[in-house]
Amino acid sequence: ESEEALLSLIIPRLEKLPFSLEVSQSAGESNYSCEEPWRLFKDKCYFLSEDKMNWNRSRDNCTSMHSHLVVIDSQEEQNFTSGVLPPNDRAWIGLTDQEEKGRWRWVNNKALQENQKYWQPNQPDNFKGKDSLEAEHCVVMYKGTNLQNWNDAYCSANRTRLCERPAVDLNA
C-alpha cells in the first residue's frame, strides 16, 4: 500500500487515543510522534519537568520514563533544547564529570566531543564555595541568548530536568 493510504488508516485511529500526539511529517522522511507533554524534534521526544530534583534523581527519573537526560548531539539539537527552556530556568542535561574530575561524559557514556561544547565563558570552573565540601560536577543548561549556555553546577542542587527518548516512527 502507498504511504498516503497507510497514513489515512493510522491517523484516524491515533486521534481516538486518550492522549494527544505531536506528529512530524516531511516529504521523503518518516513520520514521528510524541505523547504529550513530550515535544517532538526530528526523531526524538523531549520532556521538560515542572518539578525540581538533584542531578542523580533527575537522571533516575528520566530513566523511569524510558528516557535519559538529554545528550546534545548537534548544534540543531542545542538550538532546540535551549528554546524549550523558559526564561531564567536552568535544567539538568546528561553531562557530568562525577566519575573523574575534568573528564566530561554523557549519560550514554560517550565522551564530550570538542566540536560539541556549549560552555558559557569561563566554564566549566568546578567552583567550590568556601562553605561547601562539594565541587561542581554536573551540567545545567540556561535559556541563554546564545548557544553557549552550559554551566557546571553542584549536583545536589534541585533543578528542572530535560529528558529525551526516541520518537515513535509511524512508518515502522
Side-chain angles (χ1 to χ4, degrees):
E1 293 183 44
S2 74
E3 186 175 312
E4 291 81 21
L6 285 173
L7 286 174
S8 69
L9 294 171
I10 293 171
I11 290 177
R13 291 181 180 156
L14 291 174
E15 289 171 343
K16 293 179 182 174
L17 294 173
F19 52 83
S20 59
L21 295 171
E22 185 178 344
V23 178
S24 172
Q25 296 176 311
S26 301
E29 293 182 15
S30 296
N31 301 309
Y32 295 97
S33 69
C34 296
E35 180 180 331
E36 288 213 6
W38 293 76
R39 299 178 195 193
L40 180 66
F41 178 69
K42 296 200 173 203
D43 60 348
K44 295 179 185 172
C45 300
Y46 297 84
F47 172 79
L48 177 66
S49 68
E50 292 181 9
D51 63 329
K52 296 179 179 186
M53 297 179 177
N54 67 37
W55 192 89
N56 288 323
R57 287 188 59 218
S58 292
R59 179 200 57 212
D60 295 347
N61 179 261
C62 288
T63 301
S64 76
M65 295 188 293
H66 308 288
S67 65
H68 55 78
L69 285 169
V70 70
V71 173
I72 304 297
D73 293 321
S74 68
Q75 185 173 325
E76 283 182 309
E77 187 174 26
Q78 171 70 7
N79 258 335
F80 173 79
T81 53
S82 295
V84 167
L85 300 176
N88 304 317
D89 195 12
R90 299 174 210 165
W92 290 123
I93 63 173
L95 188 59
T96 182
D97 73 343
Q98 289 182 94
E99 296 215 4
E100 184 181 337
K101 181 183 168 194
R103 186 170 170 240
W104 294 98
R105 298 197 72 78
W106 293 102
V107 290
N108 63 5
N109 208 31
K110 290 185 180 175
L112 176 62
Q113 300 299 308
E114 285 298 318
N115 64 342
Q116 293 294 332
K117 293 181 178 180
Y118 300 99
W119 297 109
Q120 290 180 319
N122 304 313
Q123 297 298 328
D125 63 359
N126 199 33
F127 179 77
K128 185 176 177 185
K130 64 177 182 169
D131 297 328
S132 176
L133 299 175
E134 181 182 14
E136 297 177 321
H137 294 295
C138 296
V139 179
V140 292
M141 174 186 281
Y142 287 77
K143 176 69 171 182
T145 55
N146 61 48
L147 291 180
Q148 305 305 122
N149 63 356
W150 295 356
N151 183 31
D152 57 336
Y154 299 123
C155 301
S156 61
N158 289 322
R159 306 273 186 230
T160 58
R161 63 202 163 280
L162 193 53
C163 307
E164 78 174 320
R165 66 182 181 198
V168 175
D169 184 347
L170 298 176
N171 290 335

